[in-house]
Amino acid sequence: MPLDPTPVPDELRGLRIALLVSGGIAAYKVVDLASALTQAGTEVRVAMTPTATRFVGAATFEGVTGHPAVTGLFSGGDSPEPHVALGDWAQLILVAPATANVVGKMAGGRSDDIVTATLLAARCPVVVAPAMNDAMWSKQAVQDNLATLRRRGVTVVEPESGHLASGHSGAGRLAGAQGLFNAMVHAVRARYDLAGRRVVVTAGGTREPIDPVRFISNYSSGKMGFALAAAAADRGARVTLVSAASHPAHHGVEVQHVDTAEEMLAELRSQLRGADLLLMAAAVGDFRPARIARHKIRREETASLNLQLESIPDIVASLAGDEALAGVFRVGFAAEDSDLDSKGVEKLKRKGLHAIVANDISRRDIGFGSDYNAGVLLFADGSRHELEKATKREMADRILDLVLPRLPH
Ligand code: C5P
């Protein structure tokens, strides 16, 4: 009997879900599940253990999801790294049915097929739906392995009792669609606390041209902005990164490349409509050449060069004055070499920000170019949070933890 027809919950729509199928008779039931999820607007990619393909053909899953099911460690289509590609891509993993064998391999950290390799490479929540014969289900070894998985944060959907393929009656039937969806939603809610939010992040040091081949810029690497964008995307937000730096973009992050402060402001004006949060991590230049030479300035033609610079208007301050963007919560970043708190508070007020992260650039172990950062997060209401030294990614998550409760609903 196929899975009961249950509507797909809204929380699962639009997610990238990896469905990992192992070799039990219940594999035929998850074909319906893959179909329902796909029709509801989720992106479903399937990977199967070799044994699973004895129960259901990979072509069946390809038919219902529109994407080839991966069946081996070396059959990942055009991916150079099929053993990690799917785990990297997924925002949620459902292992269904999970055999005693796969549960045991997960507990033991094995990765000798595409399903277990994907699980080890994954960074997203994992839901496991065991299905097996009742004697296998009741074995202490299986229960111990499941307890290990639960302790590590995996959501286990208990099988149901009833008629089993072996002819017995007992516990071991794959949970129904409602139980699977509930567990998936629970796992998603716990991890994706920014689902439904639009977040815009800026990164890198802006570049102001002197002539067609030269520019003025600063030492900002863009790493903090990229870490913020990655963290927000991993927590379910729709993220646009307006960047003057070039790094490989994280899954789910849309990058708009800009060079100058003026381009950044124009891009932000269009991106921020309907956004919830602006994280202004870019090091925007303070001065730019008052005139840009149309042709390359030649050394032969000028013994010395005087550049006349003009100041660059403050981007966040001008966004703060834009009524159409009043609903956007604005967080600025300030690189300071002393008096973090007082300078931070002064900038927060002057720039019309809701919060500011002040970080200490006098320390050589953090900040510009480094993978680490530290500082203090100050809110407009006067509250203050120390941000201990951490990787930029860890600090990004900490900032989001503190900002999220303050976002308007
Ligand atoms: O004044 P300072 O450059 O230290 O301020 C840093 C903060 O202000 C950052 O969030 C930066 O992105 C923003 N900023 C801006 N426009 C500028 C200069 C800085 O939005 N022209």
Side-chain angles (χ1 to χ4, degrees), residues 280 282 284-286 312-316 332-334 347 351:
M280 190 75 196
V284 183
D286 290 325
I312 297 175
D314 202 286
I315 294 181
V316 270
F333 287 73
K347 279 189 186 172
K351 292 168 187 269

Short mmCIF file of all heavy atoms in Angstrom, two decimals, residues 280 282 284-286 312-316 332-334 347 351, ligand 1:
data_model
loop_
_atom_site.label_atom_id
_atom_site.label_comp_id
_atom_site.label_asym_id
_atom_site.label_seq_id
_atom_site.Cartn_x
_atom_site.Cartn_y
_atom_site.Cartn_z
N MET A 280 25.80 45.16 6.86
CA MET A 280 26.66 46.03 6.05
C MET A 280 28.12 45.79 6.42
O MET A 280 28.75 46.63 7.09
CB MET A 280 26.21 47.47 6.31
CG MET A 280 26.78 48.51 5.42
SD MET A 280 26.05 48.50 3.78
CE MET A 280 27.29 49.47 2.92
N ALA A 282 30.65 45.45 4.34
CA ALA A 282 31.64 45.96 3.37
C ALA A 282 32.44 47.10 3.97
O ALA A 282 31.94 47.88 4.77
CB ALA A 282 30.92 46.45 2.12
N VAL A 284 33.46 50.19 2.89
CA VAL A 284 33.22 51.16 1.81
C VAL A 284 34.27 52.25 1.92
O VAL A 284 34.58 52.73 3.02
CB VAL A 284 31.81 51.78 1.96
CG1 VAL A 284 31.52 52.73 0.80
CG2 VAL A 284 30.75 50.69 2.04
N GLY A 285 34.84 52.63 0.77
CA GLY A 285 35.88 53.66 0.78
C GLY A 285 35.35 54.98 1.33
O GLY A 285 34.15 55.26 1.24
N ASP A 286 36.25 55.76 1.90
CA ASP A 286 35.84 57.07 2.40
C ASP A 286 36.13 58.18 1.39
O ASP A 286 35.52 59.23 1.43
CB ASP A 286 36.56 57.37 3.72
CG ASP A 286 36.03 56.47 4.82
OD1 ASP A 286 34.83 56.17 4.81
OD2 ASP A 286 36.83 56.05 5.68
N ILE A 312 33.27 60.18 -0.01
CA ILE A 312 32.18 59.33 -0.52
C ILE A 312 31.01 59.43 0.46
O ILE A 312 31.21 59.25 1.66
CB ILE A 312 32.66 57.86 -0.63
CG1 ILE A 312 33.79 57.76 -1.65
CG2 ILE A 312 31.51 56.93 -0.99
CD1 ILE A 312 34.42 56.38 -1.74
N PRO A 313 29.83 59.73 -0.03
CA PRO A 313 28.69 59.80 0.91
C PRO A 313 28.48 58.46 1.61
O PRO A 313 28.77 57.40 1.04
CB PRO A 313 27.50 60.11 0.00
CG PRO A 313 28.06 60.51 -1.31
CD PRO A 313 29.43 59.94 -1.41
N ASP A 314 27.99 58.51 2.84
CA ASP A 314 27.79 57.30 3.63
C ASP A 314 26.59 56.51 3.09
O ASP A 314 25.48 57.03 3.01
CB ASP A 314 27.56 57.69 5.09
CG ASP A 314 27.87 56.53 6.00
OD1 ASP A 314 27.09 55.57 6.05
OD2 ASP A 314 28.94 56.59 6.64
N ILE A 315 26.85 55.26 2.72
CA ILE A 315 25.78 54.44 2.11
C ILE A 315 24.68 54.12 3.13
O ILE A 315 23.51 54.39 2.88
CB ILE A 315 26.36 53.12 1.55
CG1 ILE A 315 27.29 53.41 0.37
CG2 ILE A 315 25.24 52.18 1.12
CD1 ILE A 315 27.90 52.18 -0.26
N VAL A 316 25.06 53.55 4.28
CA VAL A 316 24.00 53.17 5.24
C VAL A 316 23.25 54.38 5.73
O VAL A 316 22.03 54.31 5.94
CB VAL A 316 24.51 52.38 6.49
CG1 VAL A 316 24.50 50.90 6.23
CG2 VAL A 316 25.81 52.85 7.00
N GLY A 332 25.46 47.71 11.00
CA GLY A 332 26.72 48.17 10.42
C GLY A 332 27.91 47.48 11.07
O GLY A 332 27.77 46.78 12.09
N PHE A 333 29.06 47.68 10.50
CA PHE A 333 30.30 47.11 11.05
C PHE A 333 31.32 48.24 11.11
O PHE A 333 31.41 49.04 10.19
CB PHE A 333 30.82 45.97 10.14
CG PHE A 333 29.97 44.74 10.27
CD1 PHE A 333 28.71 44.71 9.70
CD2 PHE A 333 30.41 43.64 10.96
CE1 PHE A 333 27.89 43.59 9.83
CE2 PHE A 333 29.62 42.51 11.10
CZ PHE A 333 28.34 42.49 10.53
N ALA A 334 32.05 48.28 12.19
CA ALA A 334 33.05 49.34 12.32
C ALA A 334 34.39 48.73 12.71
O ALA A 334 34.47 47.99 13.69
CB ALA A 334 32.61 50.36 13.35
N LYS A 347 28.95 55.94 15.92
CA LYS A 347 28.66 55.61 14.51
C LYS A 347 27.25 55.08 14.35
O LYS A 347 26.58 55.38 13.37
CB LYS A 347 29.66 54.56 14.00
CG LYS A 347 30.96 55.18 13.61
CD LYS A 347 31.90 54.22 12.92
CE LYS A 347 33.22 54.95 12.72
NZ LYS A 347 34.28 54.10 12.24
N LYS A 351 24.87 57.03 11.79
CA LYS A 351 24.48 56.35 10.55
C LYS A 351 23.05 55.82 10.59
O LYS A 351 22.62 55.14 9.66
CB LYS A 351 25.45 55.20 10.29
CG LYS A 351 26.86 55.66 9.94
CD LYS A 351 27.85 54.51 9.99
CE LYS A 351 29.28 54.99 9.81
NZ LYS A 351 29.72 54.99 8.41
O1 C5P B 1 32.67 55.11 9.28
P1 C5P B 1 33.11 53.72 9.03
O2 C5P B 1 33.67 53.50 7.64
O3 C5P B 1 33.98 53.12 10.09
O4 C5P B 1 31.73 52.90 9.12
C1 C5P B 1 31.64 51.56 8.86
C2 C5P B 1 30.24 51.16 8.53
O5 C5P B 1 29.62 52.11 7.67
C3 C5P B 1 30.21 49.86 7.75
O6 C5P B 1 29.02 49.18 8.01
C4 C5P B 1 30.30 50.37 6.32
O7 C5P B 1 29.80 49.39 5.42
C5 C5P B 1 29.43 51.60 6.37
N1 C5P B 1 29.82 52.64 5.40
C6 C5P B 1 28.92 53.06 4.45
N2 C5P B 1 29.25 54.03 3.55
C7 C5P B 1 30.46 54.60 3.57
C8 C5P B 1 31.39 54.21 4.56
C9 C5P B 1 31.05 53.22 5.44
O8 C5P B 1 27.80 52.54 4.42
N3 C5P B 1 30.76 55.53 2.67
#
